[in-house]
Amino acid sequence: AIPGIAEESAWEQSYDKPTGGILTVTSELGEPIHKVATRGVLLWKELDDRIFSIADKAKQLRAVQDNRKWIIERLNADFQKVYFGRKAGGAACELDEMTYAEVTQRMVALMYVSFQRRWI
């Protein structure tokens, strides 16, 4: 459960920081959306501030490239959808840098729940 807020006027603080367990992020349509401040949503907010808020698409792409390592680390640590590209030794990479065997191994690693002995 989230704590909520004591005064209704305090909810606008959620645009800048988690407030009462809620954080406001920008939706894919460019509108504010209020979400429970999970680690994934905190990452979304950081991406809004550092990447998605850049209007110029060329500058936005450069920001993604410049922050690639940080983005991959954060996705893998704080988001339910991990970064797919990974070499056999564990280093992050792009899909076109992987061998067919590495792609297959990565798919199996992500799609098989070994402790439950089932596929997703």
Side-chain angles (χ1 to χ4, degrees), residues 68-78:
R68 179 182 181 273
K69 184 178 180 195
W70 172 81
I71 291 168
I72 292 169
E73 288 172 355
R74 290 297 307 276
L75 285 172
N76 289 340
D78 295 321

Side-chain angles (χ1 to χ4, degrees), residues 50-61:
R50 289 173 75 163
I51 309 291
F52 303 144
S53 61
I54 302 170
D56 182 293
K57 295 302 176 187
K59 289 180 181 178
Q60 189 181 66
L61 177 59

